[in-house]
Amino acid sequence: MAKVTIPLGPQHPALKEPANFALSLDGERIIGAAVNLGYNHRGIEKACESRNYTQTLYLIERICGICSHSHSTAFARAVEEVAGVEVPIRAEWIRTLVAELERLHSHMLWLGVAGHELGFDTLFMVSWRDRELVLDLLSKITGNRVNYGVNKLGGVRCDITQEHIDLIKPVLDQLDESIKYYIELVTNERTLAARMLGVGTLNYDDAVAYGASGPVARAAGVNRDTRRDDPYAAYPEIPFNVIIDDHADVYGRAVVRALELVESVKIIRFILDNLPDGPLETRVPRRIPEGEAFSRYEAPRGEDVHYIKGNGTDKPERVKVRAPTMANAASVALMLQGSYLADVPIIVAAIDPCFSCTDRTISVVDYSSGREGTLDWQALRKYSIDWYRSQGIAFDDLSRRM
Amino acid sequence: MAILSILIFPGFLFLAFYGTVFEFIDRKVYARLQNRKGPPWYQPIADFIKLLGKETIVPNEANRTVFLLLPVVTVAAVTTAFLSVPIWSTQAAMPFSGDMIVVLVLLTICPLTFFIAGWNSSSLYSTIGSQRVLTQLFAYEVPLLMSLIGPAILTGSWSLSEIAAFYVDKPLFALFNLPGFVVAILAGQGKLERVPFDTPDAETEIVAGAFTEYSGRPYAFFRLAIDMELVVLPAIFGAVFIPIFSANLFVGFALFVVKTVVILLVLTAIRAITARLRIEQMVKFCWMFLVPLALLQILINLFAKGLI
């Protein structure tokens, strides 16, 4: 059978978001793979620069639909650092509580997606059913299911009352049961193991060299977790284990995520039992002084990095977001080498990709010459005016007539 | 009379209706096993009618005649096969000596048409899908045939009706066929291209496999043929491996429904509790596990023949 190159994406049922994988196939084996991102550029970083900090927080939370709290916490911490504001302890603990609830529902979502990619729809349905329990909790605590809007610059928006604690605790017991079931399923179900063991391998050295982060790195034995290595919020005071596995394949990633669910439940229990008293927020000045800050955050998918630069006004000079998928996407091409076409969906899904969160830049490619370059604002404006004029639409003429 | 049995009962119309009922039971039970609500009873029929009303798009590179004819061939093959399968009594509508082989050959026509359909569509996804259809065919066809040869050896007949009649006479001999029954169910799951053997139309890998380019009426008839296959295989298994028949027409028909539904429920349960295997894992499973088990079945029956 001759070599064929098959495009996986930008539109493909295995992908939840547009991305493109150009796969060279020899029969069912993949002999070469290239990852092309850049179908989801939304210009969020640029949009942040024209909004004040409160509005930016609102926008940053919408970078990702799953790890929304991760992004907003990372951003808020960076701003608070520049402004020199100390966040009250209780607020830090509430942020941590929501962060762990978010990790719970994110990992459950991943389990379901992985099940679906492997044709195991029962796991998909069951884990998403249990995920609803967490989403319901979040909506009862914060009023929203996904973009909770818990964070405020300098603190949190809503309190955790005794009623909330009474609400969360029975759900945690319920989750304990289902998590136990997932762990058993992931480790014991034979068809599942047959599809995950030895698939999409990424060894320790490559994981370090390619800068993989989060569960992908931990499944390769890289002992790295920002919550422990560079503790933030309430993590310095909370005991928890960093889950490491040495399978270095999709199976390892599934095991790491399943066991992290257990840790998250433990952390939430600890927070509910030891929630300190105190105020919920510190006032943050409207104008943030000049300065820059860099904040790291262990999102469910890996390490999330935010950088901000203040210039003394109420708008940030520069906001830079590196979502965890950016760190993991590079290693996908390596994982795909030598694997079967049938394994592509699960290998891609195993890094828990979130391509819309990742896309920060686009490059302009001249279709005829294939040359890549960038366009600045003026050139882009001129290009658009010229293009519309070639279509017979002249905006300058229109505005003159109006 | 013959034309009635071909077109209405137990031929095309009955088979088509029963097939949609089976698709509903399959989907509903699958949904309930996954803690979902599942579709209403008329969903498969509604899907069929909806597809009939959709535009039929034929790819430019495909041979138009072949593209449109294949679904009809499939439906015809499945319907013809069903005519020789015993339903309400041990006697099928149109039995003849050696019909078991003919039925199996007719059922092999389905995957062959799927293969040609995918290959003819000349899209990347459907080409890979049809390769997988053929690869899978080589894996399950042998164990499926051998699992049915076992019971046939014991009876000394190649006719499904005579095999059924033999086991009704001597029901205890049916117990010898249990390994064959297991092989038949698993190989049947492969023939029906259902999880864990649904690699040929793995949605998350190759869209809809061989049927990627199909739409409208041709696709509706392919779907119908698959539903019909879902009836024919349990009907064959029920006739060969579960020799419970009645002389009364209505009781016999009720027994047929019970038998086929029970087998369908087993097939659905397998679908709900497993993940999709890769194609080479599937082939390995069939040749390393199903074929030896089917050989064992033949061996058992050769010895059991001495007991008659």
Side-chain angles (χ1 to χ4, degrees):
Chain A
M1 160 112 199
K3 264 183 255 170
V4 283
T5 300
I6 134 165
L8 194 100
Q11 305 300 330
H12 190 278
L15 300 168
K16 310 300 176 252
E17 297 161 280
N20 174 269
F21 299 89
L23 308 171
S24 306
L25 289 182
D26 182 12
E28 289 253 346
R29 281 245 179 216
I30 296 163
I31 46 177
V35 185
N36 301 314
L37 303 179
Y39 294 89
N40 311 286
H41 184 60
R42 294 178 291 175
I44 282 190
E45 284 175 2
K46 191 74 190 164
C48 289
E49 290 166 22
S50 58
R51 285 166 169 76
N52 67 35
Y53 283 95
T54 311
Q55 290 169 325
T56 304
L57 184 70
Y58 191 83
L59 189 61
I60 287 282
E61 181 145 18
R62 273 144 189 86
I63 285 181
C64 185
I66 306 298
C67 29
S68 53
H69 184 74
S70 307
H71 285 286
S72 78
T73 310
F75 176 78
R77 275 169 33 78
V79 175
E80 286 149 8
E81 195 183 319
V82 178
V85 172
E86 191 76 22
V87 177
I89 304 174
R90 189 177 174 84
E92 295 275 38
W93 282 64
I94 291 174
R95 279 181 181 179
T96 315
L97 173 73
V98 175
E100 290 305 320
L101 282 173
E102 182 177 84
R103 196 179 312 279
L104 273 182
H105 87 68
S106 173
H107 281 356
M108 282 182 178
L109 174 122
W110 181 84
L111 261 181
V113 170
H116 177 64
E117 304 289 11
L118 292 174
F120 193 8
D121 279 350
T122 308
L123 175 60
F124 170 45
M125 297 295 168
V126 171
S127 82
W128 279 39
R129 175 197 67 196
D130 295 334
R131 176 174 174 259
E132 282 303 302
L133 295 172
V134 185
L135 290 181
D136 285 348
L137 272 188
L138 281 167
S139 82
K140 276 173 190 150
I141 297 170
T142 68
N144 291 318
R145 281 161 54 90
V146 279
N147 297 124
Y148 335 109
V150 172
N151 285 320
K152 236 178 178 180
L153 295 177
V156 288
R157 181 175 59 82
C158 50
D159 199 5
I160 300 288
T161 60
Q162 189 57 43
E163 275 166 45
H164 288 139
I165 294 176
D166 294 340
L167 214 71
I168 299 172
K169 281 197 165 156
V171 176
L172 289 182
D173 296 335
Q174 226 173 319
L175 285 174
D176 263 344
E177 284 300 306
S178 43
I179 290 168
K180 217 179 282 167
Y181 172 67
Y182 298 145
I183 293 174
E184 205 189 306
L185 198 67
V186 167
T187 48
N188 290 343
E189 164 60 32
R190 289 183 61 184
T191 48
L192 211 56
R195 288 302 306 278
M196 297 197 299
L197 273 171
V199 170
T201 47
L202 181 75
N203 60 33
Y204 180 91
D205 294 333
D206 287 333
V208 173
Y210 280 72
S213 76
V216 179
R218 288 197 285 275
V222 182
N223 195 344
R224 198 184 279 164
D225 190 325
T226 316
R227 290 179 291 174
R228 183 202 54 202
D229 303 340
D230 186 9
Y232 53 90
Y235 288 112
E237 290 140 67
I238 298 172
F240 68 96
N241 300 323
V242 175
I243 308 291
I244 297 164
D245 193 90
D246 47 12
H247 277 90
D249 54 10
V250 175
Y251 182 83
R253 281 157 223 155
V255 169
V256 166
R257 288 195 176 96
L259 293 177
E260 277 187 7
L261 287 173
V262 181
E263 289 302 314
S264 284
V265 171
K266 266 201 261 170
I267 294 175
I268 294 169
R269 281 228 175 82
F270 186 84
I271 292 175
L272 292 180
D273 291 339
N274 299 291
L275 198 59
D277 284 328
L280 286 182
E281 61 169 314
T282 322
R283 240 187 87 73
V284 176
R286 204 161 62 82
R287 292 176 200 283
I288 304 292
E290 268 182 48
E292 49 191 348
F294 187 73
S295 120
R296 299 166 70 194
Y297 182 101
E298 186 70 26
R301 297 182 149 99
E303 192 183 13
D304 186 18
V305 178
H306 281 235
Y307 164 84
I308 72 144
K309 187 176 181 191
N311 57 2
T313 66
D314 61 349
K315 288 176 187 147
E317 170 95 10
R318 177 81 173 93
V319 175
K320 167 78 189 139
V321 177
R322 200 231 41 197
T325 305
M326 195 67 223
N328 289 328
S331 55
V332 172
L334 194 72
M335 294 179 203
L336 287 175
Q337 292 273 355
S339 56
Y340 290 95
L341 175 65
D343 289 331
V344 174
I346 185 63
I347 292 175
V348 174
I351 68 161
D352 203 357
C354 188
F355 296 120
S356 327
C357 318
T358 303
D359 277 352
R360 289 290 160 265
T361 53
I362 44 174
S363 69
V364 183
V365 182
D366 186 355
Y367 193 75
S368 48
S369 66
R371 205 157 358 104
E372 284 189 32
T374 49
L375 285 177
D376 65 358
W377 180 244
Q378 290 301 329
L380 196 64
R381 186 163 177 275
K382 187 174 173 304
Y383 178 81
S384 109
I385 290 172
D386 288 347
W387 189 83
Y388 278 107
R389 202 168 271 159
S390 73
Q391 304 290 307
I393 308 164
F395 285 111
D396 48 350
D397 186 44
L398 271 181
S399 50
R400 206 178 308 125
R401 268 192 285 166
M402 280 170 32
Chain B
M1 229 10 234
I3 195 83
L4 274 187
S5 70
I6 289 171
L7 286 181
I8 297 171
F9 186 85
F12 179 71
L13 269 187
F14 167 72
L15 188 56
F17 176 73
Y18 202 54
T20 51
V21 173
F22 259 42
E23 191 196 328
F24 160 70
I25 297 175
D26 180 41
R27 282 168 67 173
K28 184 80 179 177
V29 172
Y30 187 54
R32 291 309 300 153
L33 287 175
Q34 296 178 339
N35 228 321
R36 285 188 292 127
K37 205 173 157 211
W41 65 269
Y42 52 81
Q43 189 66 50
I45 299 173
D47 283 351
F48 183 73
I49 294 171
K50 189 196 80 173
L51 276 174
L52 287 186
K54 294 278 179 187
E55 187 190 356
T56 303
I57 301 165
V58 182
N60 278 339
E61 290 182 29
N63 180 326
R64 199 182 159 83
T65 324
V66 173
F67 191 87
L68 296 177
L69 205 61
L70 282 170
V72 184
V73 174
T74 320
V75 170
V78 183
T79 314
T80 317
F82 195 55
L83 291 175
S84 299
V85 179
I87 302 171
W88 63 89
S89 71
T90 55
Q91 198 69 2
M94 291 177 181
F96 53 91
S97 64
D99 57 14
M100 187 183 94
I101 299 298
V102 176
V103 164
L104 285 172
V105 168
L106 285 170
L107 287 180
T108 310
I109 289 182
C110 302
L112 279 179
T113 52
F114 298 169
F115 163 72
I116 301 170
W119 199 261
N120 187 29
S121 306
S122 71
S123 120
L124 271 177
Y125 296 124
S126 51
T127 312
I128 293 173
S130 26
Q131 279 179 3
R132 288 184 180 181
V133 169
L134 269 201
T135 318
Q136 187 151 312
L137 175 74
F138 290 120
Y140 65 71
E141 201 64 16
V142 172
L144 182 65
L145 182 66
M146 291 203 328
S147 73
L148 292 173
I149 285 179
I153 286 175
L154 199 52
T155 58
S157 162
W158 291 101
S159 163
L160 285 171
S161 304
E162 282 172 28
I163 294 173
F166 174 87
Y167 287 109
V168 170
D169 273 355
K170 303 183 175 66
L172 280 180
F173 275 99
L175 293 176
F176 285 118
N177 295 333
L178 280 176
F181 196 20
V182 174
V183 175
I185 293 257
L186 289 173
Q189 189 83 342
K191 189 168 189 71
L192 295 164
E193 294 176 6
R194 290 149 61 87
V195 181
F197 308 129
D198 70 331
T199 1
D201 50 327
E203 177 208 338
T204 47
E205 296 158 25
I206 47 172
V207 192
F211 306 127
T212 306
E213 298 299 325
Y214 271 85
S215 57
R217 255 174 285 173
Y219 185 53
F221 279 97
F222 264 135
R223 291 270 307 261
L224 186 67
I226 292 169
D227 285 352
M228 288 165 147
E229 244 191 313
L230 191 56
V231 176
V232 176
L233 277 183
I236 295 174
F237 299 161
V240 173
F241 295 106
I242 315 177
I244 305 169
F245 288 94
S246 164
N248 185 311
L249 188 124
F250 294 103
V251 180
F253 188 73
L255 281 173
F256 167 75
V257 172
V258 171
K259 277 194 293 187
T260 45
V261 167
V262 166
I263 293 172
L264 174 73
L265 292 181
V266 174
L267 292 175
T268 308
I270 295 174
R271 181 154 88 103
I273 59 170
T274 49
R276 181 191 306 127
L277 289 177
R278 264 198 314 263
I279 189 80
E280 103 280 356
Q281 288 170 340
M282 192 271 171
V283 174
K284 198 172 162 194
F285 173 78
C286 284
W287 285 97
M288 304 293 278
F289 177 71
L290 291 188
V291 172
L293 202 58
L295 279 173
L296 180 74
Q297 171 69 62
I298 293 180
L299 202 67
I300 291 174
N301 285 13
L302 283 175
F303 283 115
K305 207 166 164 57
L307 295 177
I308 300 175

